[in-house]
Amino acid sequence: MNKRENLDLRVSILGSTGSIGTQALEVIDDLKGIKNIHVIGISGNKNIRLLEEQARKYHPKLVAVPNEDDAKQLKISLADTSVEVVSGSEGLSMVAADSDVDMVLSAIVGFAGLVPTMQAIKCGKDIALANKETLVTAGNLFMEAIAKNNVRLLPVDSEHSAIFQSMLAGNHREVKKILLTASGGPFFGKTRTELVNVTKSDALKHPNWDMGAKITIDSATLMNKGLEVIEAKWLFGVDIDDIEVVVHRESIIHSMVEFCDNSIIGQMSLPSMKHPIQYAFTYPERLPSADMQVNFKELGKMTFYEPDRKTFRCLDLAEKAGKIGGTMPTIINAANEAAVNGFLNGKVKFLEIAEIAESAMSEFSSIQNPSLNDIIETDREVRETICQRF
C-alpha cells in the first residue's frame, strides 16, 4: 500500500452508523481545512436511512450492509448517485480491502468485526481499532498479521489510546505496569442484592459516556473492562498481572502507564471519543480539535477506587479467560454477547450475565494456538448453545 504520510487520508469506516462511526464522521468534518480525509467506504447494520444520508453527504465509493434485502432498498434509494451498494460478509470485506483505502476504522460492535478487520490487514491497510473483540478473540493471530503485513495499528478505545500516548514517554522495557481506568458504570457502589431486579433502562444510564447499548451494558457489568484488559495485553505486550484496573468516576484520566522509576504518565481529556478517533486519523501529528477541553477549576476533584470484583464478577472472569488463553477469550466473549442480547430483550436478568459467562467457561474447553477457523467455529458453537437456553 502507498503510505501517504501527512497528505490526504483515505478511510473506510466499518460501523459508520454506530456511536464511534458517527463521531468519526464528525471528526472528519471538524478537520476540514486542516487535514483532508476522504471516505472511500462505509458499512452499517439496520439503520438504512442514516446510511443513505451518510452516503449522500460523504460520497463513498462503496456502502455495505449485511442483509441483501436492505441492500436492494439502499440501491434504489441511491440510484441517482455513483455509490456502489454491496451486501453480506463479502461486501463488508470489499469495503475493508478496497485498493483506494489507506486506513480502516474498525468500529463494528462485537465478534462481527473480526473477519473484515483481518481482511483489511492482509490487504495492507492501517487499522484504527475500536472493535476490542477482534483482539480479545484472535489476539495472537491479529498481532502476527499486523507484523507480517507491516501495517500500523492505532487504538481508538479511549483507554488504549491513552496508554498508547503515555507509552511515548518511555520504551517498553521501562514499563512497570499499566493502570487501566474504569468509570465504574451506572451501578458503582451497589450491592448484588440491589442489582437483582435492575432493568434495561437502569443499565443503559451511563454516568459519563454516550455509547451503544451493548457496550453500555458491558460497562455496567465491568465485562467491558475485563475485555479491555485482554486487549491491552495484546496491544502492549504485557502480562495480565501487570495491568491494574482503577475506578476513576470522573473519566478524565483515560489510563496511565507506570514506569520503572515509579513515575506515572497519563492522558487526560473530557469523556469524548472524538479525541482518540482524531489522534488515530492524524498520528503522529496532533491537530487542533473542535471538541471540548477540561476546565480543572470546574472539575474540582478526581477520585479513584478499587473495582468491586465480588459484585461485578465479569472483570475477574475475563481476566481468567485471558490468562488461560487459546479460545477461552472467544468463549467468554461469545457467551457474554449472547447474554447481553438476552438481557436487552428481557430474557436474561442482569446478574445472570456473569453466571452465563462463567458457565460457558466451564462447559467449553479452550483450544490452544487456534486457527481463525477454530475461533469462528468456537464463537458459533458457544453462541448457539447459549441462545438455545433462553
Side-chain angles (χ1 to χ4, degrees), residues 67 70 92 106 232 234 237 259 268 299 323 347 379:
N67 185 277
D70 289 336
L92 202 56
S106 178
W234 290 112
F259 291 93
M268 294 185 283
L299 179 64
K323 290 178 181 179
K347 299 177 181 179
D379 174 83

Side-chain angles (χ1 to χ4, degrees), residues 180-182 225 229 243-247 305-307 309 315 319:
L180 188 70
T181 59
K225 204 53 50 180
V229 169
I243 303 170
E244 180 182 344
V245 175
V246 179
V247 175
Y305 305 90
E306 285 275 355
R309 293 171 180 266
L315 176 56
E319 289 181 349

Side-chain angles (χ1 to χ4, degrees), residues 200 203-204 213-214 217 339-348 353:
K200 167 183 170 181
L204 289 174
K214 194 268 180 182
I217 301 304
V340 169
N341 187 59
F343 174 71
L344 291 171
N345 290 319
K347 299 177 181 179
V348 171
I353 295 174

Side-chain angles (χ1 to χ4, degrees), residues 31-231:
L31 289 173
K32 279 184 179 177
I34 304 173
K35 184 178 183 71
N36 294 320
I37 302 177
H38 306 281
V39 180
I40 304 300
I42 56 176
S43 78
N45 189 13
K46 288 294 184 182
N47 196 340
I48 304 303
R49 179 175 295 181
L50 178 57
L51 205 55
E52 179 188 350
E53 291 175 4
Q54 292 175 344
R56 290 188 177 280
K57 180 174 180 179
Y58 296 97
H59 311 291
K61 176 180 177 181
L62 294 167
V63 177
V65 291
N67 185 277
E68 189 172 340
D69 289 338
D70 289 336
K72 290 177 181 178
Q73 175 188 332
L74 195 56
K75 284 179 182 178
I76 294 171
S77 300
L78 294 173
D80 60 323
T81 74
S82 61
V83 175
E84 180 181 357
V85 179
V86 293
S87 63
S89 58
E90 183 179 345
L92 202 56
S93 291
M94 288 174 65
V95 170
D98 189 86
S99 59
D100 288 336
V101 173
D102 299 316
M103 173 181 282
V104 172
L105 171 59
S106 178
I108 296 174
V109 175
F111 185 80
L114 173 60
V115 172
T117 306
M118 291 291 284
Q119 184 64 32
I121 295 170
K122 290 178 181 178
C123 293
K125 313 304 179 186
D126 288 338
I127 303 297
L129 187 66
N131 171 270
K132 65 177 61 65
E133 291 84 0
T134 294
L135 269 177
V136 168
T137 59
N140 191 48
L141 293 175
F142 187 90
M143 296 307 292
E144 284 180 355
I146 289 287
K148 179 181 178 180
N149 292 281
N150 192 31
V151 299
R152 296 195 304 186
L153 174 59
L154 297 162
V156 171
D157 265 356
S158 62
E159 296 85 353
H160 300 89
S161 177
I163 296 165
F164 177 79
Q165 295 177 61
S166 298
M167 287 279 196
L168 298 177
N171 58 56
H172 190 274
R173 70 176 181 274
E174 297 169 339
V175 174
K176 184 176 180 180
K177 67 179 176 181
I178 286 172
L179 297 158
L180 188 70
T181 59
S183 70
F187 302 135
F188 175 77
K190 300 290 186 183
T191 65
R192 289 183 64 81
T193 301
E194 292 174 307
L195 296 177
V196 168
N197 293 313
V198 298
T199 66
K200 167 183 170 181
S201 176
D202 295 330
L204 289 174
K205 293 175 182 176
H206 196 283
N208 300 334
W209 294 93
D210 182 13
M211 306 177 290
K214 194 268 180 182
I215 298 176
T216 304
I217 301 304
D218 281 352
S219 179
T221 65
L222 290 195
M223 178 63 85
N224 190 52
K225 204 53 50 180
L227 299 180
E228 287 178 1
V229 169
I230 301 173
E231 184 181 7

